[in-house]
Amino acid sequence: MLIGDRAEWKGRAMEHIVILTGAGVSAESGLGTFRDVDGLWTKYDLADVATPEGYAKNPDLVLDFYNARRRNCVEAAPNPAHEALARLAAAREVTLITQNIDDLHERGGSPSVIHMHGEIMRALCASCGHRWAWQGDMSRADTCPSCAADGTVRPDVVWFGEVPYAMRSIGDAIARASLFVAIGTSGAVYPAAGFVAEAAARGIETVEINLEPSDVAGQFDRRILGKASETVPRFVEEVLGG
């Protein structure tokens, strides 16, 4: 379902498009969402597996949780939504921001992605802050290649209570955007949920693409409802004038 007139896109200047994606864009690739009825947070207490305190209390539980997420990511494949956004980036100036920790945007062809919540395929040393690419499972026996500390290797993901990455770059991108689009986001997690208000305050056109309205759906100018694999490719073709 499209709320808004397709004809309104034709002839509209789209010099710079800022796109925010959430779990909904990867759900059809087999990666679990977090806040749906059957989401991951219904099976795990986020305080146990997604906070620094949870890691300090039971690192094995946290590492096992993310080891499963990493294996799931490796087995998943990009879907038409990821591929459509890559086509858009090839034809327009696009800043692609994702709340997702998977690498499906990159594997789908997007040349540059801001992972504001980190990346499951990277590691972080809790001691010295070194970050590096990671394959396979993690354990407390792993050693940081930079400082040689033992027992300090953790996933390079942003946990609750930690500051998301690249916030200054994100703010700069929104400030000069001509269109802001949120795809597959719940609108429940800040600061990402506040991006639409920031864009609207600057008079920037805003669009939400989602399976169902998000918590902040009322702040968007237009809303497109449906599966990401169907709605995102159609939206990209509309923007490109196809």
Side-chain angles (χ1 to χ4, degrees):
M1 177 172 64
L2 170 63
I3 299 177
D5 187 354
R6 172 176 176 171
E8 294 181 24
W9 295 108
K10 294 185 176 180
R12 183 183 294 277
M14 298 288 178
E15 292 87 0
H16 179 216
I17 303 171
V18 173
I19 298 173
L20 170 70
T21 66
V25 81
S26 294
E28 292 176 76
S29 293
L31 299 186
T33 56
F34 286 80
R35 296 179 180 275
D36 292 340
V37 174
D38 295 321
L40 288 171
W41 293 151
T42 67
K43 303 172 185 177
Y44 295 90
D45 187 331
L46 65 86
D48 291 336
V49 298
T51 65
E53 293 79 13
Y55 178 69
K57 178 181 178 181
N58 192 342
D60 288 331
L61 173 66
V62 174
L63 293 178
D64 286 346
F65 175 81
Y66 286 99
N67 285 340
R69 306 284 78 73
R70 190 179 301 103
R71 290 192 295 269
N72 193 194
C73 178
V74 170
E75 294 169 356
N79 66 55
H82 298 105
E83 295 163 354
L85 293 177
R87 290 196 300 275
L88 182 61
R92 296 285 191 275
E93 182 186 2
V94 171
T95 297
L96 179 56
I97 307 158
T98 188
Q99 296 172 275
N100 299 337
I101 59 175
D102 63 65
D103 62 351
L104 295 184
H105 280 305
E106 288 88 346
R107 286 196 272 148
S110 289
S112 179
V113 184
I114 297 175
H115 284 268
M116 64 179 295
H117 291 163
E119 302 178 60
I120 191 66
M121 304 305 295
R122 295 186 63 81
L124 166 66
C125 177
S127 178
C128 73
H130 179 62
R131 293 179 168 88
W132 67 101
W134 187 272
Q135 299 287 331
D137 288 352
M138 285 184 181
S139 75
R140 283 191 288 170
D142 294 317
T143 300
C144 173
S146 179
C147 70
D150 295 323
T152 63
V153 178
R154 52 164 278 190
D156 187 14
V157 298
V158 176
W159 288 329
F160 289 93
E162 297 180 329
V163 179
Y165 295 154
M167 290 304 297
R168 178 172 293 182
S169 296
I170 292 170
D172 290 344
I174 293 174
R176 62 185 186 84
S178 51
L179 176 66
F180 173 78
V181 186
I183 303 172
T185 63
S186 66
V189 179
Y190 286 82
F195 292 168
V196 60
E198 185 176 346
R202 295 179 177 274
I204 298 165
E205 186 90 10
T206 58
V207 179
E208 175 174 274
I209 304 176
N210 224 337
L211 191 60
E212 57 187 29
S214 72
D215 289 1
V216 292
Q219 299 182 43
F220 287 88
D221 297 313
R222 290 184 176 85
R223 189 184 316 141
I224 303 170
L225 299 181
K227 293 181 178 180
S229 64
E230 299 171 358
T231 55
V232 175
R234 287 202 301 265
F235 174 77
V236 168
E237 292 306 311
E238 291 170 10
V239 172
L240 296 179

